[in-house]
Amino acid sequence: MADPTSPERQAATIAAQAAGAMDAQTGGVVPGVHRATTFARDADYAPLNPDNIYLRSHNENVRQAERVLSALEGAAETLLFPSGMAAVAAVFRTVPNGATVLVQRQIYWGTTQWIGHFCARRGIELVEVEASDKAKLKAACVDHRPTLVWVETPSNPWLRITDIAAAAEAAHGVGALLVVDSTAATPVLSQPLRFGADIVMHSATKGINGHSDVLAGALATRKPDAEVWQAIVLDRNTGGAVLDPQAAWLLLRGMRTLPLRMAQTCRTTQALAEFLVDHPRVEAVLYPGLPDHPGHALAARQMPNGFGGLMSFVVRGGAQAALQVAGRLELFHRATSLGGVESLVEHRHTIEPHTGIPEGLLRVSVGIEDAGDLRDDLAQALGQ
Ligand code: PLP
């Protein structure tokens, strides 16, 4: 069979054909779910299949989903985890006690919170920096000489864009590793490894799965022989932060439509951003697809296929006004998370009141519903 993962194949082909995953036993065009936790040996004690010994280390459904992600991301190897946070933790567990890490400020608050606790426990110096300002990021690298630099682009929920190539240069200049949380972009819109990131991280719970029914995380690299990657591989196998086969199967199914979903969501989000930016009740719209967004030109280079489905906007009148708008929305579910086929809205100040988030900010995750229906819903909720 022709290899659907060969470099000349486009993302839509790789995804739709699940990088060639089929059911070899039955000929089914969709692979089966392999739930076995252990795998037999023959009378001479040789494994019947040398790739399979025990589920914590080896599972075909997990490998199939990892192959799709590697092909989409331009990675040599991908590792799946049972959540995005488990993937974040796997990276930080490689940092030696007493080292320094540089982390972008005002990123996903759960990441910031976990890293803060972890660093305090392990005696790791945590330096937070506005990484979308490349001069500040470079100066912080020179001043603090970190072991690890962690950025998130586009950032959640501020939608700041960090220059990955510049961050890689700054990190590598002081011998640090660059890790990019690319959750909001998905591998369809941006491939940080191509810009020099050492590891790319995703909450696959979001756009990659896309159906709000799987919790998963991923790490991918072009340097599988690197010491740090080998440490992560060993830690996952022995520490046991592995994805369940059923979840991996669902993820593989979700990813088949990833390019299609992202194309639709990008088109709709752009249209909604343009509608909101002219609305008298809206103070600001944070979306990199808008020409006056400070990261627009960079995002156009780094995310050539679109600006994503995550957008924030600030309602005039503060928290009360924003909560009223959220309460009046009929199509956007009032729920956390992002990247699903259904649109969501969240009043972030309710969730993270001490991170500097504007009180009137609503974050929306735009799904694949009809763009006109979503615009009409926003219009009625804003009272016009
Ligand atoms: N990174 C980003 C940007 C996120 O938005 C999230 C979750 O919202 C995470 C990481 C954590 O992922 P998970 O919820 O799958 O553990």
Side-chain angles (χ1 to χ4, degrees):
M1 196 186 84
D3 178 7
T5 63
S6 71
E8 70 269 20
R9 303 286 186 210
Q10 301 297 315
T13 308
I14 296 166
Q17 300 213 354
M22 289 174 64
D23 189 348
Q25 222 170 11
T26 64
V29 298
V30 173
V33 184
H34 302 282
R35 296 218 55 96
T37 53
T38 190
F39 301 87
R41 293 170 180 267
D42 67 15
D44 297 321
Y45 220 68
L48 293 186
N49 178 341
D51 291 335
N52 293 333
I53 307 288
Y54 185 60
L55 176 59
R56 176 156 29 79
S57 312
H58 305 119
N59 175 261
E60 189 54 18
N61 294 109
V62 172
R63 283 190 293 244
Q64 284 165 345
E66 288 174 346
R67 273 197 287 273
V68 174
L69 280 170
S70 287
L72 293 177
E73 197 72 73
E77 210 166 285
T78 297
L79 291 172
L80 280 168
F81 291 84
S83 69
M85 288 314 300
V88 174
V91 172
F92 277 85
R93 277 202 294 271
T94 66
V95 176
N97 290 359
T100 299
V101 292
L102 209 66
V103 176
Q104 181 172 344
R105 61 188 289 270
Q106 291 184 320
I107 55 171
Y108 168 57
W109 76 286
T111 305
T112 303
Q113 189 183 50
W114 184 87
I115 292 174
H117 291 152
F118 177 79
C119 289
R121 274 200 312 276
R122 292 270 304 271
I124 295 169
E125 190 194 0
L126 167 61
V127 178
E128 288 191 75
V129 61
E130 182 42 72
S132 63
D133 180 334
K134 60 182 177 186
K136 273 192 187 154
L137 180 62
K138 185 165 185 191
C141 282
V142 172
D143 289 350
H144 298 280
R145 306 196 70 80
T147 302
L148 177 81
V149 175
W150 183 278
V151 302
E152 181 182 290
T153 185
S155 67
N156 169 15
W158 290 86
L159 280 304
R160 295 200 177 107
I161 305 295
T162 290
D163 187 329
I164 299 168
E169 204 184 303
H172 296 160
V174 296
L177 199 73
L178 176 70
V179 186
V180 177
D181 182 338
S182 189
T183 296
T186 82
V188 169
L189 302 184
S190 181
Q191 290 118 17
L193 302 177
R194 297 191 197 284
F195 293 99
D198 299 286
I199 296 177
V200 59
M201 176 265 154
H202 290 281
S203 165
T205 314
K206 309 297 191 291
I208 288 178
N209 180 59
H211 294 75
S212 307
D213 54 10
V214 169
L215 194 68
L219 298 176
T221 189
R222 285 184 160 185
K223 302 173 201 157
D225 297 330
E227 205 179 315
V228 66
W229 187 259
Q230 286 305 312
I232 293 170
V233 170
L234 181 69
D235 188 58
R236 186 184 72 159
N237 289 351
T238 56
V242 289
L243 189 65
D244 181 80
Q246 190 87 35
W249 187 91
L250 276 168
L251 190 61
L252 190 81
R253 180 194 167 117
M255 287 192 293
R256 287 177 189 269
T257 55
L258 173 59
L260 207 59
R261 288 186 280 105
M262 290 318 290
Q264 171 75 13
T265 210
C266 287
R267 268 196 304 273
T268 305
T269 314
Q270 184 72 34
L272 297 182
E274 287 167 12
F275 164 72
L276 288 169
V277 89
D278 289 330
H279 199 286
R281 289 205 60 203
V282 173
E283 207 171 287
V285 180
L286 313 182
Y287 186 62
L290 293 173
D292 59 358
H293 183 283
H296 177 70
L298 172 60
R301 286 201 306 278
Q302 238 170 227
M303 306 171 71
N305 299 326
F307 302 100
L310 188 65
M311 169 173 65
S312 295
F313 62 99
V314 183
V315 179
R316 286 189 203 283
Q320 263 329 95
L323 282 164
Q324 238 169 32
V325 171
R328 279 203 291 258
L329 284 165
E330 290 169 0
L331 290 177
F332 289 79
H333 298 303
R334 288 169 288 280
T336 194
S337 203
L338 58 114
V341 291
E342 65 290 302
S343 296
L344 305 177
V345 61
E346 204 179 26
H347 182 240
R348 287 304 304 176
H349 192 264
T350 301
I351 310 294
E352 45 174 322
H354 307 300
T355 60
I357 206 97
E359 292 193 13
L361 184 140
L362 292 178
R363 187 193 74 187
V364 289
S365 167
V366 177
I368 59 166
E369 302 94 335
D370 180 79
D373 284 346
L374 292 177
R375 188 201 49 234
D376 291 350
D377 195 28
L378 283 168
Q380 69 75 21
L382 284 162
Q384 194 185 301

